[in-house]
């Protein structure tokens, strides 16, 4: 298997990276690799926190760390002080790249773990507790191989607008870097303001989260632009039916995906032709992965060559299998359907409710902009169904929404409480911060 330096040398004189300062990629990567190689002659290679904000320097630093077999921790430069304190206490780094004028006192003692030349990718930030999934060059390239085999590609061209420290952005780089494809890096704000790279997008993949797709579809020019892509991968958070219907109406070659940081991005994807023909699911399983369904709980059990080895600093005792919180099923044609998450299940009056169903019904009323449904502790019902939402028309009451829901849902599935907000707390990938939502609801409900 080729290693980072091999790919770096192969791409030395190729115009594969399209971004500001892209001409410095090879130079930065080579210089940093030589520096790290000298440091790595010591007893153990240095632990590196990588929080570079500039994309080219981030990617060059990442390749240098991988080539020098240093453990590298990918980090969000915009984390707050509490989050950074968590990271410094956990990692106790030897080198910090990209974090200026911030200093933290790490906890005393040093982890005696077997982590050496591993790649740590952050996950769990939206829950308030950051952890790092332990990956390797091999797990990341296994994901690339599964992707190229599934889509029958030799080279993958990607337009990346997602954060590079996140698995969704990093894997776009990995696909282009290891297959000799082109990578265009463009901030979402530039795309949204119609500052578009001069490329033939019909040969490119782009990855979006649902909230980004929704915003782009509000602009007819950008809708037309999206419809020209080879594939628009959609992940990060569950999409709602109306969003998918609108994308299909505009003939956007959407590829809804299922995956996570622990699996090095998607392990299931619905191919665009299936999507345009009316299918709504997460598609077939990619060739590097296998999913089985627990007979009792319906939770997904994942096996994949791209699967993480653990959470830093602990390696999993039984690697190769990953039982996840998601519940779903595989239909007779092998398509994966995700129902919801076990941890989000709401039990009210003895009835099991999955928020995704309620949220979808509320969106179909066309009276809200965004919504999240949760359960609030209730002494009579166990949990009371609560909708936190952004109203489309602030002066119109929730009675209109409830009236429409009565013909769509059972009575026990209609929220008891409605909390209007100007916006919902979502992260860069479009995932709801449920801890924050729960706190908002608990603060609000005493006033009802």
């Amino acid at each position: 298997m080729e290693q980072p330096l091999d790919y770096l040398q192969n791409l030395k004189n190729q115009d594969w990276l399209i971004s500001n300062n892209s001409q410095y990629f090879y130079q930065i990567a080579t210089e940093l690799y030589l520096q790290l190689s000298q440091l790595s002659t010591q007893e153990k290679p240095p632990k590196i926190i990588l929080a570079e904000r500039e994309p080219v320097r981030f990617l060059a630093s990442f390749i240098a760390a991988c080539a020098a077999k240093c453990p590298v921790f990918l980090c969000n430069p915009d984390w707050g002080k509490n989050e950074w304190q968590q990271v410094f206490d956990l990692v106790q780094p030897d080198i910090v790249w990209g974090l200026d004028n911030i200093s933290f006192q790490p906890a005393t003692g040093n982890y005696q773990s077997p982590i050496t030349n591993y790649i740590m990718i952050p996950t769990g930030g939206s829950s308030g507790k950051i952890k790092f999934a332990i990956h390797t060059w091999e797990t990341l390239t296994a994901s690339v191989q599964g992707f190229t085999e599934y889509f029958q590609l030799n080279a993958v061209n990607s337009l990346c607008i997602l954060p590079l420290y996140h698995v969704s952005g990093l894997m776009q780089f990995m696909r282009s870097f290891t297959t000799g494809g082109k990578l265009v890096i463009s901030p979402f704000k530039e795309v949204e303001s119609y500052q578009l790279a001069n490329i033939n997008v019909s040969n490119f993949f782009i990855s979006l989260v649902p909230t980004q797709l929704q915003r782009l579809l509000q602009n007819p020019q950008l809708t037309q632009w999206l419809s020209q892509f080879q594939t628009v991968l959609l992940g990060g958070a569950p999409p709602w039916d109306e969003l998918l219907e609108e994308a299909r109406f505009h003939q956007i070659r959407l590829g809804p995906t299922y995956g996570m940081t622990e699996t090095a991005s998607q392990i299931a994807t619905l191919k665009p032709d299936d999507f345009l023909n009316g299918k709504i699911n997460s598609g077939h399983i990619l060739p590097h992965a296998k999913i089985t369904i627990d007979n009792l709980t319906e939770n997904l059990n994942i096996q994949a060559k791209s699967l993480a080895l653990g959470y830093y600093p602990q390696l999993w005792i039984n690697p190769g299998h990953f039982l996840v919180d998601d519940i779903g099923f595989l239909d007779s044609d092998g398509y994966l359907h995700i129902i919801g998450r076990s941890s989000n299940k709401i039990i009210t009056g003895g009835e099991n409710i999955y928020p995704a169903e309620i949220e979808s019904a509320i969106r179909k009323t066309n009276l809200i902009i965004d919504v999240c449904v949760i359960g609030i502790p209730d002494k009579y019902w166990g949990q009371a169904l609560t909708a936190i939402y952004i109203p489309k028309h602030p002066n119109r009451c929730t009675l209109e929404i409830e009236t429409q829901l009565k013909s769509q849902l059972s009575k026990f599935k209609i929220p008891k409480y409605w909390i209007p907000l100007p916006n919902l707390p979502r992260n860069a990938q479009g995932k709801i911060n449920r801890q924050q939502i729960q706190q908002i609801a608990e603060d609000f409900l005493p006033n009802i």
Side-chain angles (χ1 to χ4, degrees):
M1 175 180 289
E2 286 190 275
Q3 294 301 309
L5 276 184
D6 300 320
Y7 293 110
L8 187 63
Q9 289 292 338
N10 292 341
L11 295 174
K12 179 179 179 180
N13 298 314
Q14 294 187 31
D15 185 24
W16 67 278
L17 180 59
I18 303 171
S19 180
N20 293 333
N21 304 317
S22 59
Q23 67 272 25
Y24 299 116
F25 176 85
Y26 181 83
Q27 176 187 342
I28 296 170
T30 304
E31 289 176 356
L32 290 176
Y33 166 69
L34 292 175
Q35 293 174 22
L36 292 174
S37 296
Q38 293 175 348
L39 292 172
S40 296
T41 58
Q42 303 170 7
E43 186 174 331
K44 61 177 183 177
K47 288 183 286 187
I48 300 170
I49 276 183
L50 176 52
E52 292 283 0
R53 193 177 295 276
E54 201 282 313
V56 172
R57 189 164 187 88
F58 179 97
L59 294 174
S61 302
F62 170 73
I63 287 299
C66 292
K69 301 187 183 306
C70 295
V72 58
F73 296 77
L74 309 187
C75 295
N76 177 0
D78 293 319
W79 279 333
K81 185 173 182 179
N82 289 341
E83 292 163 314
W84 273 117
Q85 188 64 63
Q86 282 183 45
V87 171
F88 271 73
D89 288 347
L90 176 64
V91 176
Q92 300 175 35
D94 301 299
I95 296 174
V96 178
W97 284 337
L99 203 58
D100 298 326
N101 303 319
I102 298 181
S103 177
F104 292 96
Q105 181 65 43
T108 57
N110 203 2
Y111 285 116
Q112 299 298 317
S113 75
I115 308 304
T116 53
N117 61 325
Y118 292 160
I119 299 161
M120 268 59 75
I121 305 177
T123 183
S126 64
S127 65
K129 184 70 174 177
I130 295 170
K131 55 186 177 181
F132 291 92
I134 303 169
H135 277 283
T136 66
W137 187 257
E138 287 71 28
T139 62
L140 300 188
T141 53
S143 175
V144 174
Q145 290 166 1
F147 184 93
T148 54
E149 185 178 341
Y150 187 71
F151 283 101
Q152 298 182 328
L153 299 167
N154 293 319
V156 182
N157 300 320
S158 293
L159 193 158
C160 181
I161 63 174
L162 295 173
L164 294 169
Y165 62 81
H166 191 272
V167 70
S168 57
L170 181 70
M171 289 312 301
Q172 291 178 74
F173 160 73
M174 287 294 296
R175 292 176 200 134
S176 297
F177 183 72
T178 60
T179 66
K182 290 187 179 296
L183 177 68
V184 179
I185 301 175
S186 181
F188 180 68
K189 288 183 179 178
E190 289 186 6
V191 170
E192 198 173 23
S193 62
Y194 210 67
Q195 301 175 50
L196 307 176
N198 185 22
I199 56 172
N200 179 6
V201 298
S202 65
N203 298 321
F204 277 75
F205 284 75
I206 185 173
S207 295
L208 302 174
V209 299
T211 52
Q212 289 175 328
L213 176 60
Q214 181 186 42
R215 286 164 66 175
L216 295 182
L217 288 177
Q218 292 170 1
N219 183 322
Q221 286 181 299
L222 291 174
T223 300
Q224 174 62 25
W225 176 71
L226 273 184
S227 69
Q228 298 171 37
F229 273 86
Q230 179 176 352
T231 302
V232 178
L233 298 170
L234 187 68
W240 47 97
D241 291 346
E242 294 71 34
L243 182 66
L244 298 176
E245 289 169 8
E246 186 176 0
R248 188 179 293 113
F249 174 81
H250 292 291
Q251 291 294 293
I252 292 171
R253 295 182 55 77
L254 212 61
T257 69
Y258 174 77
M260 59 202 73
T261 305
E262 291 83 353
T263 59
S265 72
Q266 69 247 52
I267 51 170
T269 301
L270 184 66
K271 289 185 176 178
D273 288 343
D274 280 344
F275 170 76
L276 292 176
N277 287 329
K279 291 191 180 297
I280 298 179
N281 54 58
S282 296
H284 287 120
I285 312 303
L286 272 62
H288 68 288
K290 179 182 178 182
I291 291 179
T292 55
I293 310 297
D294 186 283
N295 291 331
L296 294 176
T297 65
E298 295 184 316
N299 284 78
L300 275 57
N301 192 336
I302 298 170
Q303 300 175 54
K305 294 178 182 178
S306 63
L307 194 59
L309 307 183
Y311 295 116
Y312 185 81
Q314 299 296 327
L315 296 172
W316 288 330
I317 297 174
N318 297 310
H321 292 265
F322 188 49
L323 186 65
V324 298
D325 192 34
D326 298 305
I327 58 175
F329 64 94
L330 292 163
D331 66 23
S332 58
D333 294 319
Y335 290 97
L336 176 65
H337 299 255
I338 302 297
I339 299 171
R341 296 179 69 85
S342 297
S343 59
N344 294 340
K345 181 173 68 175
I346 300 165
I347 303 176
T348 180
E351 299 283 359
N352 293 339
I353 297 174
Y354 292 99
E357 178 191 5
I358 316 304
E359 291 165 358
S360 176
I362 293 172
R363 289 181 186 279
K364 285 180 180 177
T365 66
N366 290 317
L367 294 173
I368 59 98
I369 296 171
D370 200 0
V371 64
C372 176
V373 171
I374 61 172
I376 294 296
D378 185 281
K379 61 181 179 181
Y380 297 110
W381 302 103
Q383 288 178 293
L385 212 57
T386 304
I388 298 91
Y389 69 107
I390 304 174
K392 189 174 287 188
H393 309 287
N395 296 327
R396 295 169 73 172
C397 66
T398 56
L399 183 61
E400 291 183 67
I401 303 177
E402 291 178 322
T403 300
Q404 291 194 39
L405 292 181
K406 287 177 181 177
S407 63
Q408 304 295 323
L409 298 172
S410 301
K411 185 177 180 180
F412 68 85
K413 291 183 179 181
I414 296 176
K416 181 177 181 181
Y417 298 121
W418 296 82
I419 302 175
L421 292 177
N423 55 68
L424 298 188
R426 292 184 180 272
N427 65 12
Q429 286 67 53
K431 293 181 180 177
I432 284 282
N433 186 327
R434 291 192 172 271
Q435 202 174 54
Q436 194 172 340
I437 280 284
Q438 202 78 29
Q439 188 60 54
I440 289 170
E442 290 175 9
D443 292 344
F444 185 91
L445 288 179
N447 299 321
I448 292 179

